[in-house]
Amino acid sequence: MTDLADLPEFLAVAHAGGFRDAARVTGKSASGLSEAVRRLETRLGVRLLNRTTRSVAPTEAGQRLIDRLGPALSEVESALNVVNGFRERPAGTLKLNVPVAVARLVLPKIVPSFLASYPDIRLEVIVEDSFVDVLAEGCDAGIRYDERLEQDMIAVPIGPRTQRMAIAASPAYLGAAGRPDHPRDLLAHRCLLGRFRGGALTSPWEFEKDGEVVKVEPAGPLIVSTGGGMDLAVAAAKGGAGILGLFEAWLRPHLDDGSLEPLLEDWWQSFSGPFLYYPGRKHLPAPLRAFVDFAKAARW
């Protein structure tokens, strides 16, 4: 009889494409995962993964096993979570994958009260701006904006339903370079940009006023990675390096204290707030069900 504990570890390695990446996702050691796969292959008498120095890939037999195991293990997990639902308080781990803006602007308003309400739930938050397959990454759910939602997922609004992108610069920069009167004037200014993990820049910048939409592709002296690198961009903007475009809520403290001044405010474009998305399972894991219900009831 195959040790059933080896099966999800085999799936984790196959989905991650390597032992080290699987170890990062599962929190287990790469050597332990390697031993689990070796043990499973020995017991089944067939190679399941082709290994190279850089990655692993399933053999034909391994792929057949993956195709059958995924639904089967999901059913086992659902069955166990039905039992968890009978507990007085849901327990277990909830793993979310969210972008930096959500970690900074949305979750701080819900996480403390959620954890206080469910002390037996352990919340793990993976923060990254790239769009990922949450299930393959070992997460229960993700939070993204509507244009980046995966298909075949259930989406629940979370956070403010309307947000805006703002642009701003320091008084020192504006004193030296002048203020733009129209979005196209930004082409003559020094602008600070971000770059997504996939390589694309956070441009063009899009503006809207009275039904007119204007897109400009600004340039400037600084490009930072989106997410954590944006703190450097904010500091550079406050230091007079140029004009910065970012979430209004992210810039609001600096606008309120005067270290940055808003520009072209009547052109700022609104967009829909983020969504919590998760697979449409019949029985959700109890921690995820608790979080979904909590997000639905939260006031923003």
Side-chain angles (χ1 to χ4, degrees), residues 96-158:
L96 302 178
N97 187 290
V98 309
V100 173
V102 167
R104 174 183 284 266
L105 305 176
V106 176
L107 291 186
K109 298 180 180 180
I110 189 174
V111 164
S113 53
F114 173 75
L115 294 178
S117 299
Y118 298 97
D120 295 328
I121 291 179
R122 178 175 179 263
L123 179 62
E124 182 175 351
V125 180
I126 308 300
V127 181
E128 58 182 344
D129 279 331
S130 58
F131 194 53
V132 300
D133 182 335
V134 293
L135 298 183
E137 290 292 316
C139 296
D140 299 292
I143 299 178
R144 287 296 187 277
Y145 288 86
D146 54 358
E147 71 271 17
R148 306 189 70 186
L149 292 180
E150 292 184 8
Q151 295 181 350
D152 302 323
M153 289 282 185
I154 294 176
V156 174
I158 184 172

Side-chain angles (χ1 to χ4, degrees), residues 68-87:
R68 298 294 296 272
L69 272 182
L73 291 180
S74 293
E75 283 300 312
V76 171
E77 184 179 357
S78 295
L80 294 176
N81 276 297
V82 168
V83 176
N84 193 13
F86 283 92
R87 294 171 55 95

